[in-house]
Amino acid sequence: MRRLVCFIGLLFVSKASSLDFFVEEIGDFYDTRLGQDEAQGNIKTSGQSPPKLINRYERNRRSIFTADEVENEEVEVETGDGIHIHSYKVEARITSRFAHTTICSRVVNTAQHAQSIVFNVQIPKSAFISNFTMDVNGITFIGSVKEKTVARSLYAKARARGKAAGIIRTNSNDMETFKTEVHVPEGSKIQFEIHYQGMMQRKLGVYEYNLNLQPGKLVPQFQVDVYIYEPKGIAFVRAPNSLGGHFEGLIKVTTSNQKAHVCFKPTLHQQRKCHNCSSTAVDGDFTVQYDVIRESNGGDLQVSDGYFVHFFAPINLSPLPKNIIFVIDVSGSMWGLKMKQTVQAMQTILDDLGQDDFFSIIDFNHNVRCWSDELVPATSIQTSEAKKYIQEIQPNGGTNINEALLRATHMLSNAMNYGVIDPRSVSMIILVSDGDPTVGEIKLSAIQKNVKKRMRDEFSLFSLGMGFDVDYDFLERIALENRGMAQRIYANQNASQQLKDFYQQVSSPLLRKILIEYPDEAVTDVTQNSFDKYFSGSELVVAGRVEPHGYSVLQSVITASSGTMDLSLQAEADVHKLDEILALQRYVNPGFARQLWAYITINQLLAERSLASTAAKKRKITQRIVSMALQHQFVTPMTAMLVESESGDERLLVDSLKDPKQGCCSGSLGRKGLLTYSPPPWAQFPTAQPTALAQIGPDLVEALPNHITLVENDPHFIIHLPKSKQDICFNIDSEPGKILNLVSDPDLGVVVNGQLIGAKKLEQTKISTFFGTIAIYCKKQDMKVEISTKRISVTNGKYAHIFSWEETGNMTQNGVKISIKKDTHVTVSVNEEISFMVLLHRVWKKHPVNVDFLGVYTPHTNMFSPEVHGLLGQFFSEPEVKVFNVQPGSDPKKPEATMEVKGHKLAVTRGWQKDYRTDKVYGTNVYCWFIHNSGKGFIDGHYKDYIVPHLDSFLQRS
């Protein structure tokens, strides 16, 4: 995690004619030292008070005060020191996971003497400051981001005049302190306002927005407003009261489908610690948690203001098995609380391992020891033995990180070479250390090179740095180079819980080798779009520019591996629709996509910079970061914000902090060609107009066969007999809940069954039935595809994946290909020899009778075995059919005849049924000879003979 925000100390003395305000950065980009007087802020100025300046601060500023609030300054709270915080307002606008926060405070010095006033706020380390303004008695300081060397030049000039301010730094977990101190005369009025922006990170299924509220005094106008807007809908919003029981019930949450408003507005009385207290009880974290509605596993693709953002967080997928080696530092520096908390965390983590997982433990000091020399299954016996081993560890000695990590990579490689572990499982090393190497190879670059050389592409390294003594930058670099990430563990906090929380984030890998692609001619400047793994509860985000005058719809293809299955999913978005919606909304960030793209890009460039192998590459990346930061007004490690008055005489420098032992965020760029899988030609639908995706790949749309075997409506069977060039129809009148066998081929191990559902009410004393669920079971592949009107579930042995009708995608496993077309159909093919299509029919939800239902289509070219049977399957061995004695019927449009088939003579009627492949609303007429009495005489036996007990049951023939 990169430190993005500086700590600012500011001294303002009254009656000064020329004042300069700066904050120096201490980091690895520049080496600067402050004099003792400057560091202590002992700066003296003299002269006349400057004239009142006109406030021209417009960019990036939204006043969160009403006119009445600005004028109503007579409300005072007696605090004893003459410093009154008139108002303290926070407004956060979260639009599509991107948060823009504004904190504004108005302070009055009512004392009879000059004194210092402090503006002190906590800002997330993952955020970028985008503006800061300060108004002191009418002098307004306006912020703009500059290249750092320009700001340093101004700083040097100010220091030469003896007027530069010192640095104030504070550290606290994931927050950093922004602190401004102003020395003002009596009666002064000061307004502070700071803006910062950042992307919401999804962890364990939740986006969490945090504010640290420490006004320090009672505030007459105290208010926090968090506005959330998510175009696809909000699943839930929570605002747990973490400020204490004093404020129970005061946090108000208002939600609708796409919007939420969280408000915290305690009165003066409610802020008091006690009835007569003059101190405030507001002191702690204000937290808002939420998640969004996910209709499609293909993700949420949004386009706005010429940029796109793609949020990918699939759900309802089975976790992949894991192979984990825990590499734990047990050197002398881990003695005491660090080791105790590590042991506590490991007890829980070992209990959490799944029955399909493999693991081992390596502990190291100056020596390296293995609890087990090879990976072992995570059985209860093995995990119990591992717990005992950990409890007996006594930290001592030095730190041999190099040998420990090489031993771990060797153990994983052996397990793969000898087939101990599933080749599609996820293998990872989790390193826990609190110090620099002191034994063996101690050169960090050499360790980094050694590990990278031995790590296979299938392995990932995650680094956890305990405390502040560890070289976190090294731990992060070695993790980023090996498809992992790093996190600092704060030993003075609940380190045990931090370790467990981190493990939970990586404990459920769902996908491997994820690639998210877009049409090359439709987008540019795409951020990282290939990812090694996706973990449950997290989110992958890709952003980029959309080419102007391009497609009206932007499409993407996502390919990934899940368990033993290869997936291909699709997402699409209208290029103009979201902008039209945002224009009608209040409390949103219309430019969120542009800023979010810049935020992601800059963070990924910072990660690339930390891994750059040469100084020239590092300089080139630095130039790109500076250019983007200036364009988007972000304070980064390479830029600073110059806050100055209109005349330019008074200046303040806002820098970002870069800790030499603190790394930055992950990311590596990469794009490849598009890969898609199309359903078989007979199942394809005509396209009204070519889409972007269709233009990317080859045109596979072929002419639909005129005739096909199918089941539709309530339910009508249409059997196509290609030899006699006839279509035969019949209905099945059964009961809701019954399961009918359609195809049963025991030799191939393929069965297709359908479960009936009933209409909402009787019509003419009869209830119509429809297929509500279709199941296709491939026994040899151990794969079951269950398709209902609500969802599609795919089960492969112990793996289960669920998809909605809101997505388009494909998956392949052991010769079985499944293709989902959004709100249209699912096709399933087996070894390219057998294929089925299930068509979705939606009806008006308020229809008094009809319900959603499914249709089944299968071509006569399917290559079943001679043993195939079922209501449909029996006709793939075509019976001989003769139709004669054709004569007019009672309905002139429906002639009658006699059919001879299977030794029976049947009275039949000429009519028509519907094929809905080309027209889902009205269908296409298929003329056929209709057989009465549920196909009696045409099908073998009675239709009740085809009722089976379960959706995966084969037909039992006597």
Side-chain angles (χ1 to χ4, degrees):
M1 179 82 67
R2 180 169 46 83
R3 308 236 182 140
L4 304 175
V5 181
C6 73
F7 311 125
I8 296 178
L10 174 64
L11 181 65
F12 184 94
V13 183
S14 63
K15 299 183 180 180
S17 59
S18 181
L19 307 174
D20 296 284
F21 305 98
F22 296 94
V23 174
E24 176 59 81
E25 171 189 332
I26 299 177
D28 64 346
F29 300 109
Y30 299 90
D31 184 15
T32 310
R33 298 290 184 269
L34 293 178
Q36 183 67 28
D37 288 343
E38 294 168 321
Q40 295 175 356
N42 297 330
I43 303 166
K44 297 181 180 180
T45 60
S46 61
Q48 300 299 316
S49 299
K52 183 175 181 179
L53 301 176
I54 298 174
N55 184 350
R56 63 183 178 92
Y57 175 46
E58 297 294 342
R59 181 188 51 76
N60 237 356
R61 181 177 182 179
R62 301 184 309 269
S63 176
I64 54 178
F65 296 96
T66 65
D68 291 339
E69 290 172 333
V70 173
E71 295 177 0
N72 184 22
E73 296 189 352
E74 71 277 4
V75 179
E76 295 183 356
V77 180
E78 185 55 49
T79 60
D81 59 6
I83 297 176
H84 296 271
I85 303 178
H86 174 69
S87 59
Y88 191 95
K89 300 289 186 71
V90 181
E91 181 184 288
R93 299 186 180 187
I94 303 172
T95 304
S96 293
R97 288 78 144 178
F98 194 70
H100 184 135
T101 303
T102 304
I103 302 176
C104 190
S105 180
R106 296 173 61 85
V107 184
V108 181
N109 178 19
T110 60
Q112 300 301 311
H113 55 83
Q115 59 179 329
S116 294
I117 294 177
V118 176
F119 177 61
N120 188 333
V121 296
Q122 297 280 320
I123 298 177
K125 291 178 181 177
S126 59
F128 287 143
I129 290 177
S130 56
N131 215 324
F132 173 71
T133 185
M134 181 176 64
D135 187 290
V136 183
N137 293 326
I139 301 177
T140 302
F141 296 86
I142 305 166
S144 61
V145 174
K146 307 286 185 183
E147 199 274 329
K148 191 177 291 287
T149 55
V150 174
R152 295 305 173 95
S153 175
L154 293 170
Y155 175 79
K157 293 178 182 178
R159 185 167 60 177
R161 297 198 302 270
K163 298 175 182 178
I167 298 174
I168 300 175
R169 294 174 179 266
T170 311
N171 243 340
S172 65
N173 290 14
D174 295 327
M175 308 290 282
E176 290 179 343
T177 300
F178 181 103
K179 183 176 181 180
T180 304
E181 182 177 347
V182 188
H183 195 81
V184 296
E186 59 187 82
S188 295
K189 297 179 180 180
I190 308 97
Q191 176 172 308
F192 304 98
E193 182 170 321
I194 187 169
H195 297 248
Y196 61 88
Q197 302 180 33
M199 184 175 74
M200 306 285 289
Q201 300 283 346
R202 188 170 186 255
K203 295 182 179 180
L204 301 177
V206 172
Y207 303 101
E208 186 169 282
Y209 178 82
N210 288 303
L211 280 171
N212 184 266
L213 300 177
Q214 293 179 315
K217 294 177 179 293
L218 296 173
V219 183
Q221 296 178 16
F222 185 96
Q223 186 167 343
V224 176
D225 291 290
V226 179
Y227 298 96
I228 303 172
Y229 181 78
E230 291 289 348
K232 292 295 184 181
I234 299 172
F236 66 83
V237 179
R238 299 192 294 254
N241 178 21
S242 52
L243 293 169
H246 192 86
F247 299 102
E248 196 65 41
L250 295 186
I251 301 174
K252 306 299 181 182
V253 180
T254 306
T255 61
S256 62
N257 181 38
Q258 297 171 312
K259 304 176 188 178
H261 176 209
V262 181
C263 182
F264 177 56
K265 190 178 179 180
T267 64
L268 273 175
H269 175 72
Q270 292 166 337
Q271 294 174 46
R272 297 180 188 273
K273 281 189 175 181
C274 62
H275 181 69
N276 296 320
C277 291
S278 59
S279 56
T280 180
V282 180
D283 185 3
D285 292 329
F286 177 84
T287 301
V288 177
Q289 300 171 335
Y290 78 97
D291 199 11
V292 300
I293 294 173
R294 289 177 173 79
E295 297 177 340
S296 167
N297 274 345
D300 180 7
L301 181 59
Q302 301 180 15
V303 181
S304 176
D305 194 26
Y307 293 80
F308 77 87
V309 184
H310 193 169
F311 303 99
F312 181 67
I315 56 176
N316 297 320
L317 302 176
S318 291
L320 299 166
K322 306 183 296 294
N323 316 299
I324 304 183
I325 299 179
F326 300 96
V327 181
I328 302 174
D329 185 347
V330 295
S331 61
S333 58
M334 286 287 288
W335 180 269
L337 182 61
K338 290 180 183 178
M339 196 68 231
K340 179 181 178 182
Q341 293 181 326
T342 301
V343 170
Q344 288 175 350
M346 286 300 300
Q347 304 291 316
T348 302
I349 290 171
L350 290 170
D351 282 336
D352 190 64
L353 291 174
Q355 60 181 2
D356 297 321
D357 296 338
F358 283 74
F359 79 104
S360 188
I361 298 170
I362 295 175
D363 61 293
F364 68 95
N365 44 29
H366 50 283
N367 295 316
V368 177
R369 297 190 308 165
C370 298
W371 166 71
S372 171
D373 290 328
E374 59 186 24
L375 288 172
V376 299
T379 64
S380 57
I381 296 176
Q382 298 284 15
T383 54
S384 295
E385 290 297 320
K387 286 191 226 177
K388 293 177 184 177
Y389 177 82
I390 291 175
Q391 287 177 326
E392 295 172 356
I393 291 176
Q394 298 295 321
N396 66 86
T399 307
N400 192 347
I401 292 179
N402 183 71
E403 181 61 30
L405 289 177
L406 295 184
R407 188 78 62 87
T409 60
H410 180 72
M411 190 183 297
L412 283 177
S413 295
N414 279 348
M416 288 199 71
N417 292 339
Y418 292 109
V420 175
I421 57 179
D422 186 336
R424 293 174 69 106
S425 59
V426 171
S427 299
M428 61 181 78
I429 299 168
I430 297 181
L431 169 66
V432 181
S433 180
D434 77 330
D436 296 338
T438 60
V439 177
E441 179 60 72
I442 61 174
K443 189 176 179 181
L444 299 182
S445 60
I447 297 174
Q448 196 172 333
K449 183 178 179 181
N450 292 341
V451 173
K452 183 174 177 60
K453 183 178 179 180
R454 297 280 292 274
M455 286 282 286
R456 293 191 181 186
D457 290 341
E458 297 86 356
F459 305 161
S460 296
L461 172 62
F462 298 91
S463 303
L464 300 176
M466 297 281 286
F468 288 97
D469 295 329
V470 67
D471 191 328
Y472 184 84
D473 190 53
F474 162 70
L475 291 182
E476 184 172 60
R477 284 199 310 272
I478 200 170
L480 292 178
E481 274 198 328
N482 294 286
R483 297 160 297 282
M485 60 183 178
Q487 181 169 312
R488 190 187 291 277
I489 303 298
Y490 300 91
N492 59 335
Q493 303 292 323
N494 188 352
S496 176
Q497 188 60 47
Q498 293 175 62
L499 288 168
K500 288 185 284 188
D501 288 346
F502 177 85
Y503 172 76
Q504 285 299 318
Q505 292 178 47
V506 299
S507 64
S508 294
L510 300 183
L511 296 173
R512 299 169 60 247
K513 299 179 181 178
I514 304 101
L515 182 64
I516 306 176
E517 299 180 285
Y518 311 87
D520 288 335
E521 65 273 22
V523 298
T524 59
D525 300 321
V526 178
T527 61
Q528 177 187 353
N529 68 328
S530 61
F531 305 89
D532 188 63
K533 297 174 184 67
Y534 167 73
F535 295 97
S536 177
S538 65
E539 185 169 64
L540 305 179
V541 184
V542 181
R545 297 177 187 264
V546 177
E547 287 285 11
H549 314 299
Y551 303 108
S552 60
V553 175
L554 177 65
Q555 294 184 319
S556 70
V557 175
I558 306 100
T559 56
S561 295
S562 172
T564 57
M565 186 182 298
D566 293 324
L567 303 179
S568 176
L569 305 171
Q570 296 179 22
E572 64 179 32
D574 186 289
V575 172
H576 306 291
K577 185 176 181 180
L578 183 55
D579 283 334
E580 295 171 0
I581 295 173
L582 291 175
L584 302 176
Q585 307 299 320
R586 297 180 62 194
Y587 307 113
V588 297
N589 299 319
F592 81 92
R594 177 179 183 271
Q595 292 300 92
L596 184 50
W597 168 77
Y599 177 90
I600 296 172
T601 302
I602 290 173
N603 275 294
Q604 291 181 0
L605 288 172
L606 288 167
E608 285 187 45
R609 188 184 185 279
S610 71
L611 299 175
S613 57
T614 65
K617 290 182 180 179
K618 185 169 287 191
R619 282 195 299 271
K620 187 175 181 180
I621 296 171
T622 300
Q623 291 172 357
R624 291 182 62 191
I625 294 171
V626 170
S627 176
M628 288 198 66
L630 295 180
Q631 181 182 357
H632 296 271
Q633 291 293 291
F634 285 152
V635 177
T636 71
M638 287 84 186
T639 54
M641 177 170 287
L642 186 66
V643 185
E644 56 186 341
S645 65
E646 186 176 33
S647 65
D649 293 333
E650 296 83 23
R651 299 188 183 99
L652 165 70
L653 187 67
V654 182
D655 248 347
S656 67
L657 172 67
K658 179 65 171 67
D659 184 343
K661 292 189 176 184
Q662 179 80 12
C664 42
C665 52
S666 62
S668 60
L669 302 177
R671 301 189 68 203
K672 300 180 181 178
L674 281 173
L675 299 172
T676 62
Y677 162 69
S678 296
W682 63 267
Q684 295 208 25
F685 285 64
T687 305
Q689 58 183 13
T691 63
L693 197 64
Q695 295 177 28
I696 295 168
D699 184 6
L700 296 177
V701 178
E702 300 178 5
L704 295 173
N706 292 329
H707 300 280
I708 198 168
T709 294
L710 61 96
V711 185
E712 274 289 2
N713 288 310
D714 57 344
H716 304 312
F717 288 70
I718 303 177
I719 308 299
H720 178 61
L721 303 177
K723 292 180 181 179
S724 59
K725 298 182 180 180
Q726 298 190 82
D727 292 294
I728 313 299
C729 307
F730 60 91
N731 294 346
I732 295 293
D733 295 322
S734 189
E735 303 171 4
K738 296 295 184 181
I739 300 174
L740 299 178
N741 175 254
L742 303 179
V743 176
S744 179
D745 191 333
D747 284 2
L748 291 183
V750 176
V751 64
V752 181
N753 293 320
Q755 187 168 31
L756 296 171
I757 56 174
K760 295 177 182 177
K761 66 179 182 178
L762 296 172
E763 280 192 312
Q764 299 178 351
T765 70
K766 176 188 172 184
I767 188 166
S768 297
T769 57
F770 308 84
F771 280 122
T773 302
I774 299 294
I776 302 171
Y777 175 48
C778 305
K779 185 176 181 180
K780 292 181 179 179
Q781 291 83 3
D782 193 18
M783 178 170 286
K784 178 181 176 183
V785 183
E786 190 171 309
I787 305 161
S788 73
T789 57
K790 295 182 179 179
R791 64 182 188 178
I792 303 104
S793 66
V794 181
T795 305
N796 174 223
K798 57 193 174 186
Y799 301 106
H801 312 296
I802 298 176
F803 304 90
S804 78
W805 281 102
E806 294 296 320
E807 54 197 306
T808 296
N810 309 283
M811 57 219 78
T812 306
Q813 189 269 328
N814 292 342
V816 178
K817 295 181 179 179
I818 304 161
S819 175
I820 304 171
K821 177 66 174 176
K822 180 180 178 181
D823 287 329
T824 305
H825 67 269
V826 176
T827 59
V828 179
S829 63
V830 183
N831 296 326
E832 298 183 353
E833 297 177 345
I834 302 170
S835 55
F836 305 92
M837 182 180 75
V838 179
L839 186 65
L840 173 66
H841 292 273
R842 295 286 192 207
V843 301
W844 181 40
K845 290 183 179 180
K846 296 182 180 181
H847 194 285
V849 179
N850 293 343
V851 294
D852 294 347
F853 65 95
L854 304 172
V856 180
Y857 294 73
T858 187
H860 60 80
T861 54
N862 277 345
M863 301 173 65
F864 291 112
S865 77
E867 297 302 313
V868 66
H869 209 266
L871 286 169
L872 297 179
Q874 62 188 290
F875 297 104
F876 283 89
S877 296
E878 184 176 330
E880 184 177 350
V881 175
K882 294 181 180 179
V883 179
F884 54 92
N885 194 25
V886 179
Q887 55 189 331
S890 56
D891 184 341
K893 296 181 180 179
K894 298 181 179 180
E896 297 176 348
T898 301
M899 176 183 289
E900 187 173 303
V901 59
K902 296 182 180 180
H904 304 285
K905 289 186 177 180
L906 309 175
V908 295
T909 304
R910 188 69 169 172
W912 59 89
Q913 299 295 344
K914 296 288 188 179
D915 179 338
Y916 290 96
R917 286 175 297 162
T918 58
D919 187 340
K920 284 187 65 178
V921 178
Y922 300 105
T924 302
N925 289 335
V926 177
Y927 291 90
C928 57
W929 289 107
F930 182 78
I931 298 174
H932 304 273
N933 300 320
S934 296
K936 185 178 180 181
F938 182 64
I939 64 174
D940 294 340
H942 194 275
Y943 86 85
K944 291 185 178 179
D945 298 336
Y946 298 87
I947 296 176
V948 293
H950 306 291
L951 282 169
D952 57 357
S953 297
F954 283 82
L955 183 65
Q956 300 299 316
R957 299 178 63 188
S958 56

